[in-house]
Amino acid sequence: MSKRFFVDDVVTGDGRYRVLQEDSETKERFGVKDFDTKEEARRTAEDMQRAVDNALSEITARELPDQISLEDNSEIHGNKFKDTLQDLKNGNSQE
């Protein structure tokens, strides 16, 4: 399911511009908010659309690999940091 936000072509009875949300599957529309100017309505619709698009493009936990490699790469990276909490507390976190 995806959502689409846009400014209604028809001005409301009190002369305001309405941002609508439409479900792409059902084509059901409903008003989100009314604005005094078309520019405010357009900017809000674009921001809301951008937020929805970004949320849909993020990787969810279900899409992450089942196993994440926890190999010791200290030889590859030169073991630059010690890894115990006590070392960090003592301020000796770097070798």
Side-chain angles (χ1 to χ4, degrees):
M1 175 182 86
S2 66
K3 297 177 183 176
R4 183 173 77 102
F5 292 91
F6 59 97
V7 179
D8 195 355
D9 294 331
V10 180
V11 179
T12 64
D14 58 353
R16 300 186 81 195
Y17 297 90
R18 180 167 288 162
V19 173
L20 296 175
Q21 176 183 330
E22 179 182 73
D23 182 308
S24 63
E25 293 175 9
T26 64
K27 301 298 181 193
E28 183 179 343
R29 294 179 175 183
F30 63 90
V32 177
K33 190 170 181 181
D34 295 345
F35 294 89
D36 292 328
T37 67
K38 192 170 190 171
E39 179 60 29
E40 283 179 301
R42 185 193 58 76
R43 189 172 43 245
T44 299
E46 288 174 357
D47 290 345
M48 293 174 87
Q49 187 66 53
R50 193 174 310 113
V52 167
D53 291 345
N54 287 339
L56 292 174
S57 69
E58 291 179 2
I59 297 174
T60 63
R62 285 181 246 152
E63 296 171 353
L64 293 174
D66 289 337
Q67 296 179 353
I68 297 175
S69 175
L70 299 176
E71 297 175 7
D72 180 16
N73 294 327
S74 59
E75 292 177 14
I76 297 171
H77 300 294
N79 199 10
K80 187 175 179 180
F81 300 99
K82 293 184 180 180
D83 57 1
T84 67
L85 183 58
Q86 189 60 43
D87 288 335
L88 294 173
K89 285 182 179 178
N90 291 336
N92 298 328
S93 61
Q94 293 185 4
E95 291 186 334

